[in-house]
Amino acid sequence: FPEGGSHATFSPDGKLLALAGRNNGVKVWDIALHREIGMLPTTDTVMGLAFSPDGRDLVVSYFNPGQVQVWDVAHLLELGVQD
């Protein structure tokens, strides 16, 4: 993100980087290939990011207390939102 990121996390195997921009969504990067593999839209200000232990899912937490969004990273598919 040209304006900088607010939060970042690596997948457990170190192959992916998720970077939350300020009001721009979450970009997922393939570190080995040095390329963006996708952009996940966000619903609010991102307060945290975490990959699942197997690296398949990404959990995004928001400023809105208690709201989290879960993504299937390989398919860039939203699995659900918890309020």
Side-chain angles (χ1 to χ4, degrees), residues 56-76:
R56 293 180 183 175
D57 300 330
L58 179 69
V59 177
V60 181
S61 64
Y62 293 100
F63 181 75
N64 180 7
Q67 185 181 29
V68 296
Q69 192 173 25
V70 182
W71 291 90
D72 173 331
V73 177
H75 301 102
L76 303 176

Side-chain angles (χ1 to χ4, degrees), residues 17-29:
L17 171 66
L19 177 64
R22 295 186 184 120
N23 303 320
N24 290 33
V26 175
K27 288 187 178 182
V28 181
W29 294 84

Side-chain angles (χ1 to χ4, degrees), residues 32-83:
L33 298 177
H34 302 279
R35 68 177 180 90
E36 180 184 332
I37 61 170
M39 172 90 134
L40 310 174
T42 55
T43 60
D44 197 356
T45 302
V46 174
M47 296 303 291
L49 300 169
F51 278 96
S52 61
D54 63 10
R56 293 180 183 175
D57 300 330
L58 179 69
V59 177
V60 181
S61 64
Y62 293 100
F63 181 75
N64 180 7
Q67 185 181 29
V68 296
Q69 192 173 25
V70 182
W71 291 90
D72 173 331
V73 177
H75 301 102
L76 303 176
L77 177 68
E78 181 185 38
L79 298 176
V81 175
Q82 175 69 42
D83 289 320

